[in-house]
Amino acid sequence: MHFVSGSDKIKITNIYSSNERSDMMKNLLSKVFSKKAKIQIEFCQNNLDRFLNEQTIADYGKFLENPRIQYKEYECLSECKLCKKTPYAKVNGQIMSGEDSQDLLNKLYDELK
């Protein structure tokens, strides 16, 4: 801290070293620019039962551990025609489907980028 006296007022200013300024700037920039939105994913339990196998269950489990992902499983998402044909999920309210469960997982990973 640095005290500067003027007529009848005392002005207090902070004096930082260049390293302190640099650290403060990095901290500020990381707070402002590194916040990536969370991704909301909804799964249909019937669809998962229909299209996932042991390998893809493990792959999905690893994917869902990401802290940016919030997900819920519902018994049914009322997309019966789609549900019978292909694996799908609702991502931020939009339906995303894949040719198979691995293709859907790859598309979900793309959403994280």
Side-chain angles (χ1 to χ4, degrees):
M1 229 178 253
H2 180 71
F3 295 97
V4 177
S5 61
S7 57
D8 58 346
K9 298 179 184 176
I10 296 178
K11 182 178 178 184
I12 301 173
T13 60
N14 288 325
I15 298 176
Y16 298 103
S17 71
S18 62
N19 286 342
E20 288 174 320
R21 281 193 305 270
S22 176
D23 290 343
M24 288 170 44
M25 185 58 74
K26 285 178 189 175
N27 191 16
L28 174 68
L29 291 174
S30 68
K31 286 181 181 178
V32 171
F33 294 109
S34 71
K35 296 282 184 183
K36 292 188 178 181
K38 291 195 181 265
I39 297 172
Q40 304 279 336
I41 303 175
E42 298 174 359
F43 292 103
C44 172
Q45 186 177 21
N46 294 323
N47 187 261
L48 293 174
D49 291 343
R50 184 172 287 122
F51 289 101
L52 292 185
N53 58 40
E54 284 185 34
Q55 176 60 42
T56 52
I57 287 173
D59 294 342
Y60 273 75
K62 184 178 177 183
F63 170 76
L64 295 173
E65 289 175 357
N66 188 307
R68 286 189 47 219
I69 296 173
Q70 294 178 335
Y71 73 96
K72 288 185 180 181
E73 264 183 58
Y74 294 94
E75 188 174 330
C76 179
L77 290 176
S78 300
E79 298 290 340
C80 300
K81 288 182 181 180
L82 179 63
C83 185
K84 290 177 183 177
K85 294 190 297 186
T86 185
Y88 80 97
K90 285 189 178 179
V91 180
N92 296 328
Q94 301 295 314
I95 293 178
M96 178 180 290
S97 64
E99 293 179 21
D100 57 29
S101 57
Q102 191 61 49
D103 183 46
L104 175 60
L105 183 60
N106 291 339
K107 290 179 179 182
L108 292 172
Y109 267 113
D110 288 343
E111 285 294 311
L112 285 176
K113 295 179 183 176

